[in-house]
Amino acid sequence: MPDLLFAIELTISGLLNGVMYALVALGFVLIYKASGVFNFAQGAMTLFAALALVGILARVGLGLAIVFAIAVMVVFAFAMERVVLRPLVGRPPLSIFMATIGVSFVLEGVAQSIWGAEPKGLNLGMSARPIEIGGVYIGRVELYSAAAAAALVAVLIWFFQKTTIGLGLRAVSDDHEAALSVGISLRRVWAITWTIAGLVAVAAGIAWGTRLGVHFAVVLIAFKALPVIIIGGIESIPGAILAGLIVGATENLAEGFIGPAVGGGVKDFFPYLIALLFLLIRPYGLFGREIIERV
Amino acid sequence: MIYRETGVFHAGYREDMRIFPLFLDRAGMALVLVVLFVGVPLVASEYWLKGLLIPVLCYSLAALGLNLLTGYTGLLSLGHSALMAVGAYAAVIAYGRYGISMPVAFALAGTMAAAVGFLVGVPSLRIKGFYLAVSTLAVQFIIEWVMTHVGWISGGVHATINVPPLRFLGLPLDTAGEKYVLCLVVVAGMTLFAKNLVRTKIGRAWMAIRDRDVAAEIMGISLFKYKLMAFMVSSFYAGVAGALLAFAFYQAANIEEFTLASSIRILGMVLIGGLGSILGSFLGAAFVVLLPILIANGLHVAAGLSGGLVRTDVVANMELVVFGGLILFFLIVEPLGLARLWKTFKDYLRLWPFPY
Amino acid sequence: MRRTTCTVLAGLLLAALVAPLAPALAEEILLPLIIYRTGPFAPGGSGIGGGMEDYFALMNAKGGVEGVTFKWEECETAYDTARGVECYERHKAKAIFFSPLSTGKTYALAERSEKDKIPLLTLGYGRSESTDGKTWPYLFPVVANYWSQASAMINYIAQKEGGIDKLKGKKIALLHLDVPYGREPIPILERLAREKGFEFRNFPLPSPGIEQSAAWVDIARRYKADYTLQWNWGASCTAPYKEMQKVNYPIEKFMSVWWCGSEEDVRPAGEAAVGAIAAAFNIGGRQYPVMQEILDKVHKAGKGNLDTERVGTIFHSRGVVHGIILTEAMRIAIKAKGKPLTGEKMEYGLSNLNITNARIKELGAEGMMPEIKTTPENHGGISGVKMIKWDGKAWAPITDWIQPDVAVVSDQVKITAEKVRAEKAGKK
């Protein structure tokens, strides 16, 4: 039955996409987890990281370039904490959300004036030829990204569960004042959180840059990550991964099987429909913390 | 300021409940309206009318609609411009394809958008905040898709419908001045309505929901009714604003003008202008529409002065930086928006020159 | 702190208001250019804008066109229509033409420009029916419109297959951005499919169209398209090359609209894009005398309008073609109607273009652009394209000019133009 094979292929390519969505979604989750802020600038940060990497790659080797990109994101994280977040302490989340919109404009502008707006290739020496397993093709970039994402998630979970700093981050997200009262520095925690989100941006930037090239469109991938975090639960790291997989697979299947019947192009809003469904049935997502809250 | 509240006494509820209880405030507002209705069309060049004032007016109305929802009722929406698209297409189809007269077309635009807004509002009964924002985002994508894919609406692959020459109750609207007055009449009328609406039971119920929904419910306010009402009224405003934009500014209903980016811009207008402020909606719209133009012109002058040392693409990108920076500046220095800035200024003047 | 900010803001405001008043010299005309150097479509906007400016700068260096020299002012729009309209209104008093560089702005400006008698040059952009000069007297597509392009691409496939009758039973897919621009070729392809007997299906990609895996699995594995055309823009042009490798779809069966046929579109895909084929109405490269002159007289003099390494790229060359068409129209207008130039005279010039191959050679652009002829009724648009191929370093032509199916395209233009006329008139 050709339809079955087709469905399998769609699912596999969708799952691999899903991992890449999850990489972007992780950045959102991290910042939300540690500061209760929805970070609109995550897409712009990804672009910034990727451009920093590609910009220096012409002159130095890959390893150094990655170090450089990470360094840039660390500087950004500290600047972000000092210039934007510190004056906004205690403001409603909506203001901080708006501030991240402002930050994303600034990042896009700065990134494109330094490195130009032309798309750039990012070649890590990976062949674009797929691996064939039982008549099904699997892209290498996606496969490596999946491995990287898995490693990243493992490290992050370990970090949040086992290290002192990680525990501090969780304390801050639970209760700012209680955390402050036991001597956790809010400033340091925020700077660290944004640094980690910056690292995730570097990873996502490398993955998407290898696949699509580095340019402005990278910013827009952030919109693919929104349904992912709704479905997975906005503060759950494993949730982001699982939801990424769900979104990737279902959107592909929807395009392949529902699309032809209605004129196609359903792929973009289908994940949002699923997210909507989740919101109605299970508003805190798959792994989100169930908080009894006024609605 | 040259006048004081002291010495003004009201002898009845009617007087006390006026929008502008002070005579001088009323006179001032009347003066502003006379200037806008008579002075501006006489004095302003076509560039000011067509290039700046008309879009500012249309977007003010859209921002006002969103402010009723976000600022007064506390519900966040990222799908506002999709509702504007509903209004724009409804109006242009009614007016162009079926020859329905313009006032009715406007009413139809608002009603259609309100009907869609009703559906958008349903999930708000269960979810809120950021989650609600994502559900409105879904609406944005779905409406865009429907507009492009349903042939009857889009009128072909372009999803763009031209607007025939405008006639309002038999009068042709050709010149920039006439179109400007059309916008002004609609916007002024709907602003007055909104100003009064937020002072009625409905408006107070909205604000109660915004401030504490559980408390509001206990006081006997039906969340179901008032939240949906907020969505519908806000969508009505969006629909009319979309129709105005299509008629008086873009001269076509084109789905590409009502994308997510424009929804975010309108949200920006509300936040920069001031949540829960009618005046703020206008200030915010003017700020967001005009600022990039000012920045671009200013930077070009600067680049010109530097003798071409600055590359033009850097200038273009700097514009983004300045715009983002200003958003940050306002958020950090004056979080309640431009409306609050204006109020601070007024309070300062009230005591000036003896600030003690 | 606050005071200084206020002063700076006030200064900017003042400067911004004074800017449009800067006086122009007697024989120098001001050209307002709507462009976009930021945002998702920046490569196209900066390339074409820079190319156009480079050509005007070259004309200035050579003493101007019929004694007229140029000064230009960019309006950065970031692809936003409202900003384009603002630019138009700001400059329309002095402008003799506008080049909106986007379909949205073309719509918003079409009627204004008709009223103000300022022609819009929509070279290579949408509105295929604007070929009809009676419906849109002030719109000038001039080179092949999208329908001609789609039809010519089908003819190219027929040529490869060995005759138009060989198309019967073939499957042709269109992978397109799901926006008005991407959907524009659908009616003509559906019609050609009916008339020539091939099968056609479109695969829409929701904007920005960067994630295409589902569409590609479908095209290659289920639908099994014999040929695939793409009507994308920006990053969505680049994405297919890696996707098609993943599904083992042969690159020689895949061809792109000219907005996907620039260096910026294929370079990021690296090795995967070698062998890519695209349609083009302008050929890139620095071998043309006009490009050498631009390098010598403009860029060496430090007056370049984009990075020197981009001179001769497809987008830059497209900008130069814009410049050639505009200056030729100016010559015709000045010769027939005298100075000073106005929008109306430009309209005359643009609707009486006759740029022959001999003339193109004189201009130093032999082989870079097609012959062009317009009349007041026919604003150009039904003409041929060349197919070009990417060898990893440059796009080189692999065919001569391929003509579209003139009868079908002109009929489609006629039908649509009538519909638009009815729409513009409204129901009385």
Side-chain angles (χ1 to χ4, degrees), chain C residues 53-94:
Chain C
E53 289 166 5
D54 274 356
Y55 192 75
F56 290 133
L58 176 65
M59 290 294 112
N60 281 351
K62 292 166 115 183
V65 172
E66 305 283 325
V68 175
T69 57
F70 308 104
K71 192 173 130 130
W72 53 90
E73 194 178 312
E74 281 184 10
C75 293
E76 169 62 36
T77 65
Y79 210 71
D80 176 30
T81 301
R83 305 261 312 264
V85 172
E86 185 271 335
C87 176
Y88 172 90
E89 294 292 344
R90 177 147 43 102
H91 290 294
K92 73 178 181 190
K94 284 194 202 135

Side-chain angles (χ1 to χ4, degrees), chain C residues 39-215:
Chain C
F41 305 129
S46 58
I48 295 177
M52 224 181 333
E53 289 166 5
D54 274 356
Y55 192 75
F56 290 133
L58 176 65
M59 290 294 112
N60 281 351
K62 292 166 115 183
V65 172
E66 305 283 325
V68 175
T69 57
F70 308 104
K71 192 173 130 130
W72 53 90
E73 194 178 312
E74 281 184 10
C75 293
E76 169 62 36
T77 65
Y79 210 71
D80 176 30
T81 301
R83 305 261 312 264
V85 172
E86 185 271 335
C87 176
Y88 172 90
E89 294 292 344
R90 177 147 43 102
H91 290 294
K92 73 178 181 190
K94 284 194 202 135
I96 55 168
F97 74 91
F98 278 94
S99 172
L101 290 190
S102 90
T103 319
K105 292 185 203 84
T106 308
Y107 274 107
L109 296 180
E111 255 161 83
R112 291 171 202 259
S113 72
E114 204 171 320
K115 203 167 283 165
D116 302 325
K117 301 198 186 309
I118 303 170
L120 299 184
L121 185 69
T122 59
L123 212 63
Y125 278 87
R127 295 229 71 145
S128 295
E129 75 274 10
S130 59
T131 291
D132 183 85
K134 282 182 306 223
T135 310
W136 294 112
Y138 280 83
L139 291 191
F140 289 89
V142 183
V143 297
N145 61 32
Y146 288 134
W147 290 342
S148 297
Q149 190 179 171
S151 171
M153 281 157 103
I154 296 293
N155 285 349
Y156 168 67
I157 294 172
Q159 197 177 311
K160 271 177 73 161
E161 289 286 325
I164 200 95
D165 49 314
K166 294 267 170 42
L167 285 177
K168 272 207 175 44
K170 287 268 178 304
K171 287 183 184 168
I172 294 178
L174 173 72
L175 180 73
H176 66 93
L177 264 192
D178 201 12
V179 297
Y181 145 76
R183 298 174 68 82
E184 187 152 338
I186 294 175
I188 197 82
L189 286 170
E190 277 173 349
R191 185 168 169 178
L192 285 169
R194 264 198 316 277
E195 290 179 11
K196 313 288 178 214
F198 60 87
E199 211 180 298
F200 164 73
R201 206 181 126 194
N202 66 312
F203 293 83
L205 301 166
S207 177
I210 39 187
E211 215 303 291
Q212 311 183 342
S213 59

Side-chain angles (χ1 to χ4, degrees), chain B residues 183-206:
Chain B
C183 292
L184 195 59
V185 168
V186 175
V187 173
M190 289 182 74
T191 307
L192 184 67
F193 183 77
K195 182 77 194 169
N196 276 315
L197 188 68
V198 296
R199 292 159 15 109
T200 60
K201 185 185 163 203
I202 299 171
R204 283 162 211 276
W206 285 348

Side-chain angles (χ1 to χ4, degrees), chain B residues 46-48 50-52 55 59 95-100 141 144-145 148-149 154-165 167 173-175 179 248-252 254-257 265 289 291-302 311-314 316-320 322 326 329 333-334 341 344, chain C residues 1-2 5 9 12-13 15-20 37-39 46 53 73-76 78-83 85-92 103-105 107-112 115-116 126-129 136 147 178-181 183-187 204 207 305 307 416 419-420 422-428:
Chain B
E46 229 183 317
Y47 162 62
W48 275 89
K50 275 184 164 172
L52 305 177
Y59 278 109
Y95 181 74
R97 225 182 272 171
Y98 296 104
I100 294 169
F141 289 127
E144 269 184 53
W145 185 85
T148 18
H149 282 258
S154 62
V157 287
H158 283 113
T160 307
I161 313 172
N162 292 292
V163 174
R167 300 182 75 80
L173 301 176
D174 277 335
T175 64
K179 283 179 182 163
F249 187 62
Y250 292 127
Q251 296 174 331
N254 180 355
I255 191 67
E256 287 180 291
E257 310 308 343
R265 249 161 62 108
V289 173
L291 185 76
I293 296 169
L294 282 178
I295 295 174
N297 289 349
L299 287 175
H300 271 292
V301 171
R311 277 165 42 201
T312 33
D313 56 333
V314 173
N317 282 310
M318 273 303 133
E319 193 191 312
L320 284 175
V322 175
L326 277 169
F329 174 81
V333 179
E334 189 44 87
L341 223 53
T344 315
Chain C
M1 160 71 191
R2 246 185 209 192
T5 320
L9 275 180
L12 273 178
L13 188 108
L17 290 177
V18 172
R37 288 179 189 267
T38 56
S46 58
E53 289 166 5
E73 194 178 312
E74 281 184 10
C75 293
E76 169 62 36
Y79 210 71
D80 176 30
T81 301
R83 305 261 312 264
V85 172
E86 185 271 335
C87 176
Y88 172 90
E89 294 292 344
R90 177 147 43 102
H91 290 294
K92 73 178 181 190
T103 319
K105 292 185 203 84
Y107 274 107
L109 296 180
E111 255 161 83
R112 291 171 202 259
K115 203 167 283 165
D116 302 325
R127 295 229 71 145
S128 295
E129 75 274 10
W136 294 112
W147 290 342
D178 201 12
V179 297
Y181 145 76
R183 298 174 68 82
E184 187 152 338
I186 294 175
S207 177
N305 295 287
D307 295 341
T416 316
K419 204 180 125 227
V420 168
E423 220 172 81
K424 277 171 80 182
K427 192 170 166 144
K428 285 284 142 48

Side-chain angles (χ1 to χ4, degrees), chain A residues 6 9 17 21 117-119 121 128 130 135 137 139 142 210-212 215-217 220-221 252 256 260 263-265 267-268, chain C residues 37 39-40 42-43 178 201 204 206-208 210-211 213-214 217-218 221-222 235 238-239 242-243 245-248 264 268 310:
Chain A
F6 177 59
E9 279 194 33
N17 284 337
Y21 295 152
E118 297 82 46
Y137 298 109
E142 284 82 356
T210 317
R211 188 163 165 204
L212 296 174
H215 87 333
F216 193 83
L220 304 170
I221 293 166
N252 263 12
K267 193 171 177 173
D268 251 29
Chain C
R37 288 179 189 267
D178 201 12
R201 206 181 126 194
S207 177
I210 39 187
E211 215 303 291
S213 59
V217 172
D218 204 349
R221 310 283 278 169
R222 182 165 70 167
T238 314
K242 288 194 174 166
E243 293 293 336
Q245 282 203 337
K246 274 194 270 167
V247 292
N248 266 357
E264 287 84 352
R310 290 183 69 194

Side-chain angles (χ1 to χ4, degrees), chain A residues 19 25 33 64 70-71 86 133 139 164 172 285:
Chain A
V19 178
K33 210 172 156 68
L64 262 179
I70 290 174
R86 201 178 295 176
I133 302 169
T164 327
V172 171

